[in-house]
């Protein structure tokens, strides 16, 4: 049964809670998506959560068996809210659909469907065959938004690409030859660090790496261990060994996307400093981005955040490789000598739809995703 019929306000509330619970392990479950299960039983006059589970760190165990274990006998006759179709395959763990059946769950409310061919449609079918009432697609869009990295990698065989830009009131992202310039405020900065913590990798072009000497780490108090891999598109391996990126390579992984013409001696120096390399095809003098992304997808990477600069951002945009645009707009103007942003609120390419807007201190934040 599809969402709409037989979906109560309580169903929507519990599913929204399950989606929030799933966010706790976003970016921490390896190649597995972070999903959540809530087991809800009648208790006194109303429903009560008796079991909860989130895909464990590293990806296993899955959410369902953890929620069922907490619920124990109270799972019998209860409703399970799952943010992704329960798995139907014998992987490293037995199928979650079987676990739900064995625990005596009476009704399953599901959000997103799983494109994994081992699971797709089969998880819900197993439940129905066992006589469980199933409602699919409840808050499916909301759940899929959090699962976008996993869904993109499963379907398009590459990570979901998020382009993050901080743009001044006059449409600039920096000042020529000045390195890093502050465009947005403290709240936006913190939000960017949260985005970093939830990404599998952060990427910049060599121009930005040379001009800004960035660290590209997550430095929020308490989240310092959540820095993802850093990637620099650096066809000729020009990144200096003295850069902050290279100096921190032993603490936070750093990978250079290089072409076949990268200098062997430079590579040796950087390798000795702990830098890793991704050998890339070159197309018309530039690292071939579609193939580069496919390579990352094959390595299990689900989310990639592009943090600059203008040339790199424009290259991903021009090749239709951006799935999500996150624009942080500052109030101040940069004026003369500014580096123009490849896009602003007014020039979002066709095919994107506005997903959310927020005020972050004095800044405004807008997020678009590729429509359809
Ligand atoms: C669930 N619950 O919490 C998650 C699921 O390698 P395996 O055996 O762990 O299986 C990975 C697949 O399991 C993954 O591609 C996706 O289809 C599903 N993820 N399923 O029932 C969960 N994380
Ligand atoms: Zn499972």
């Amino acid at each position: 049964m599809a969402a709409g019929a037989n979906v109560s306000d309580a169903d929507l509330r519990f599913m929204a809670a399950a989606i929030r619970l799933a966010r706790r392990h976003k970016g921490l479950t390896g190649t597995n998506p972070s999903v959540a299960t809530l087991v809800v039983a009648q208790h006194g006059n109303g429903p009560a959560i008796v079991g909860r589970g989130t895909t464990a760190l590293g990806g296993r165990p899955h959410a369902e068996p953890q929620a069922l274990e907490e619920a124990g006998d109270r799972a019998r006759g209860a409703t399970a809210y799952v943010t992704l179709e329960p798995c139907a395959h014998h992987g490293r763990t037995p199928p979650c659909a079987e676990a739900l059946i064995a625990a005596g769950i009476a009704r399953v409310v599901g959000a997103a469907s799983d494109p994994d061919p081992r699971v797709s449609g089969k998880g819900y079918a197993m439940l129905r065959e066992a006589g469980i009432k199933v409602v699919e697609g409840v808050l499916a869009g909301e759940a899929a938004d959090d699962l976008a990295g996993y869904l993109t990698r499963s379907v398009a065989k590459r990570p979901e690409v998020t382009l993050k830009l901080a743009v001044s009131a006059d449409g600039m992202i920096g000042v020529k030859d000045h390195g890093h310039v502050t465009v947005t405020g403290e709240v936006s900065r913190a939000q960017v660090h949260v985005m970093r913590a939830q990404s599998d990798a952060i990427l910049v072009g060599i121009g930005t790496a040379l001009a800004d000497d960035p660290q590209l780490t997550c430095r929020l108090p308490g989240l310092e261990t959540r820095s993802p891999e850093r990637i620099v598109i650096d066809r000729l391996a020009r990144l200096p060994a003295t850069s902050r990126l290279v100096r921190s390579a032993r603490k936070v992984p750093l990978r250079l996307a290089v072409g076949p013409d990268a200098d062997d001696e430079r590579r040796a120096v950087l390798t000795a400093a702990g830098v890793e390399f991704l050998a890339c095809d070159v197309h018309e003098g530039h690292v071939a981005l579609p193939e580069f992304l496919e390579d990352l997808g094959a390595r299990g990477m689900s989310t990639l955040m592009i943090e600059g600069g203008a040339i790199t951002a424009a290259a991903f945009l021009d090749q239709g490789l951006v799935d999500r645009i996150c624009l942080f707009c500052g109030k101040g103007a940069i004026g003369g000598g500014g580096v123009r942003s490849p896009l602003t609120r007014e020039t979002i390419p066709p095919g994107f739809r506005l997903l959310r807007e927020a005020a972050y201190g004095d800044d405004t934040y807008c997020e678009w995703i590729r429509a359809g």
Side-chain angles (χ1 to χ4, degrees):
M1 189 177 302
N6 287 348
V7 176
S8 66
D9 283 351
D11 287 335
L12 295 174
R13 277 204 316 279
F14 285 121
M15 186 58 84
I19 291 171
R20 287 197 299 275
L21 184 62
R23 284 185 197 135
R24 292 176 67 168
H25 287 174
K26 202 171 167 181
L28 294 173
T29 51
T31 56
N32 239 343
S34 177
V35 311
T37 300
L38 287 180
V39 178
V40 174
Q42 284 305 317
H43 183 79
N45 288 334
I49 296 171
V50 294
R52 70 218 90 194
T54 308
T55 310
L57 302 183
R60 291 167 205 96
H62 288 183
E64 292 84 341
Q66 301 180 70
L68 292 170
E69 190 180 345
E70 189 187 358
D73 287 345
R74 289 170 299 181
R76 204 152 288 282
T79 297
Y81 294 84
V82 295
T83 60
L84 180 72
E85 177 176 3
C87 69
H89 66 286
H90 283 269
R92 289 189 224 173
T93 48
C96 290
E98 257 176 27
L100 292 163
I101 296 165
I105 290 287
R107 180 169 177 258
V108 169
V109 179
S113 316
D114 191 343
D116 185 324
R118 299 170 299 175
V119 179
S120 184
K122 300 186 185 112
Y124 289 135
M126 271 173 80
L127 299 171
R128 288 197 177 100
E129 271 158 34
I132 294 178
K133 280 195 212 110
V134 178
V135 188
E136 296 175 35
V138 174
L139 299 186
E142 284 82 345
D145 187 44
D146 279 317
L147 295 167
Y150 167 75
L151 298 175
T152 304
R153 185 169 53 77
S154 302
V155 176
K157 308 292 175 216
R158 62 163 178 83
E160 184 203 17
V161 175
T162 295
L163 172 61
K164 170 249 142 183
L165 287 164
V167 183
S168 65
D170 53 349
M172 306 294 174
I173 57 170
V175 177
K176 284 193 188 84
D177 306 322
H178 257 262
H180 177 77
V181 178
T182 302
V183 172
T184 47
E186 201 43 42
V187 184
S188 294
R189 192 192 81 92
Q191 190 58 29
V192 168
H193 282 236
V194 170
M195 287 173 66
R196 287 179 176 176
Q198 293 185 333
S199 298
D200 289 339
I202 309 172
L203 178 144
V204 294
I206 182 64
T208 296
L210 293 174
D212 292 6
D213 194 17
Q215 300 181 65
L216 304 177
T217 49
C218 173
R219 298 187 294 282
L220 283 184
L223 290 183
E224 295 89 344
T225 57
R226 296 280 306 265
S227 295
E229 173 172 327
R230 291 113 13 114
I231 300 176
V232 181
I233 303 264
D234 186 9
R235 181 172 63 90
L236 298 172
R238 287 192 293 148
L239 189 65
T242 50
S243 63
R244 296 209 281 185
L245 283 165
V246 175
R247 281 190 281 128
S248 57
R250 294 208 186 279
K251 271 196 24 233
V252 181
L254 172 66
R255 199 181 290 275
L256 302 191
V258 293
D261 41 356
D263 183 73
D264 284 343
E265 257 174 54
R266 291 236 18 89
R267 283 186 60 150
V269 168
L270 292 166
T271 301
V275 177
E276 294 185 56
F277 292 88
L278 193 66
C280 294
D281 294 344
V282 168
H283 180 66
E284 293 178 352
H286 300 284
V287 164
L289 298 180
E291 290 79 2
F292 160 73
L293 289 178
E294 259 174 44
D295 210 345
L296 297 185
R299 286 159 186 264
M301 195 167 279
S302 302
T303 49
L304 176 69
M305 179 175 167
I306 300 180
E307 286 222 43
I311 293 172
T312 301
F316 277 91
L317 278 169
D318 291 348
Q319 295 179 48
L321 296 172
V322 173
D323 302 301
R324 189 178 294 260
I325 299 169
C326 298
L327 213 58
F328 295 81
C329 302
K331 267 215 167 135
I334 283 190
V339 178
R340 189 155 293 285
S341 172
L343 52 78
T344 63
R345 264 189 96 125
E346 288 70 39
T347 61
I348 298 298
F352 282 85
R353 73 176 168 86
L354 187 65
L355 184 66
R356 54 177 70 95
E357 277 182 281
Y360 290 152
D362 287 338
D363 306 329
T364 52
Y365 171 77
C366 301
E367 183 174 333
W368 292 261
I369 52 164
R370 193 192 284 280

